[in-house]
Each structure stands twice: as C-alpha cells, then as structure tokens.
Amino acid sequence: MARVFKAGAATLGAIAALLALTATPVRATPPNIPSASTAASRLATLTVAAESHQSSYNRDLFPHWITITGSCNTREQVLKRDGTGVAVDSSCYPTSGSWRSPFDGATWTNPADVDIDHMVPLSEAWASGAWAWTTSRRQTYANDLGGPELWAVTDNVNQAKGDQDPATWQPPLASFRCTYARAWIQVKYYYNLSVDSAEKSALNGMLGTC
C-alpha cells in the first residue's frame, strides 16, 4: 500500500509541475539574438560612419509584407509567431490571441493595436548602407524572419520610435534595453551596415545594462 501511495504522490507531483510549466503561456521572440558579450564583440567590428543618402530614401524601395506561406504575409506570420493563442481565418487575419509588446510591456488582444516594427528601421538601414543594395536584398531585409529584425509591438510606441536609432530613442521599458541593443547590433552586423558614433555610444551604454 505504501508503494502505491508513493507512486500516486509522485504522479500528482508530476502533474502539478506540468501545470506550473504550462500555466504561463510561452511567448515567442525573434530568433538569433546574441549574448551581450557577443553583441559587444560584433559592435566593435562595425564600420563607424556618418549616415548618407537620406534624401533619396523611399519606403517603397523595400518591398515588404510579401506572402510567406499560404495566405499569410510577413506581418501575419510575425503575429502568429509572437502571439499567444493566435487563431486566424482563411485570409490569415488573426481572429483571437494576445500579444505582449516587449518595448513597453503592454498586452493587446486586438491585432489592430499591434505594429510590426523593423528593429533597425528601413530608412536607418538605407542611410547605413542599404542605399547600395539591390531591390531583392532590400526585400529580404524588410521581410527577414530568420533574425531579430521584426517585432510585434504596441502601435503608438512603434510610431514614437519612427526612424530613430538608439542615440535618440530607446524602449520605454528599461529592462528591455539590453535585449534591444543586442538585437539592433545583430541586424547591423548580419547585413554589414554601418553605425554612426552617437549610435555606437548609445548601444554600448545599453549593453552596460545587461
């Protein structure tokens, strides 16, 4: 009888542990965010240069929200990836789900309240070297799901960020600034984009919070 009781207790304990693990929904984040030490090393290798070609920037030069799979475009794919309990209709538009914006910690249940942010804004990329790219490469950049370039965030926070780099804008949630810097550096490193001196200084300061 004692053995049966112990086995039953062990089973109940396992169930309790499983419930504890599943009680908090897992929220996806973009892939391939480097550690702080790796980000610092990569930041040190980036070319420091003043931004250029700003006057010739046009958002249409970065074809974005292309079809990724089935009827889902890039925006809808990020909403599915980064949300919790997301269900979509036949057009891939979310009909339910919730999204926690890492920039400010707010949670939303209406997808209209969520923007898909380019970690390194398109105009920032343009002025940092993308002006010399082919349209095909700019399309790849604007729809990149393989790295930490696309984030589901609160719409008005994304609008406040606009085209700014970390020298003039950082996430209002201070605890996220370490991750923000690491993701920003990874995008610039992967695409071989330059940083200006104020941007580099700000990124080093953000890494200091890690």
Side-chain angles (χ1 to χ4, degrees), residues 1 5 8 24 30 33 51 68 75 99 102 107-109 111 121 130 134-136 143 155 157 159 190-191 205:
M1 181 67 71
F5 175 78
T24 301
I33 301 173
E51 295 179 357
I68 298 297
R75 169 184 162 79
W99 295 268
T107 297
W108 304 98
T109 56
T134 63
T135 300
S136 175
N143 299 277
D155 57 356
V157 174
Q159 290 154 22
Y190 183 82
Y191 284 97

Side-chain angles (χ1 to χ4, degrees), residues 52-193:
S52 64
H53 293 77
Q54 291 100 324
S55 63
S56 58
Y57 168 71
N58 186 319
R59 189 173 177 85
D60 292 340
L61 294 167
F62 291 80
H64 56 286
W65 302 172
I66 61 173
T67 300
I68 298 297
T69 180
S71 59
C72 299
N73 65 23
T74 315
R75 169 184 162 79
E76 293 157 343
Q77 199 73 13
V78 175
L79 289 173
K80 289 202 300 179
R81 180 192 71 185
D82 292 355
T84 298
V86 178
V88 299
D89 62 20
S90 59
S91 299
C92 205
Y93 188 82
T95 56
S96 64
S98 65
W99 295 268
R100 181 185 181 276
S101 167
F103 287 9
D104 59 340
T107 297
W108 304 98
T109 56
N110 183 347
D113 292 323
V114 180
D115 277 358
I116 305 305
D117 173 62
H118 288 93
M119 172 58 62
V120 176
L122 303 182
S123 66
E124 168 72 19
W126 176 267
S128 302
W131 58 267
W133 293 352
T134 63
T135 300
S136 175
R137 182 160 176 78
R138 288 194 289 268
Q139 176 175 296
T140 296
Y141 177 89
N143 299 277
D144 185 2
L145 294 165
E149 168 65 346
L150 299 174
W151 296 74
V153 301
T154 302
D155 57 356
N156 60 354
V157 174
N158 184 47
Q159 290 154 22
K161 172 184 173 179
D163 298 330
Q164 299 178 83
D165 72 27
T168 55
W169 190 92
Q170 297 180 14
L173 188 62
S175 61
F176 183 69
R177 290 175 186 170
C178 167
T179 302
Y180 189 90
R182 289 156 49 207
W184 182 285
I185 291 164
Q186 176 60 21
V187 173
K188 287 242 166 163
Y189 175 82
Y190 183 82
Y191 284 97
N192 195 29
L193 295 169

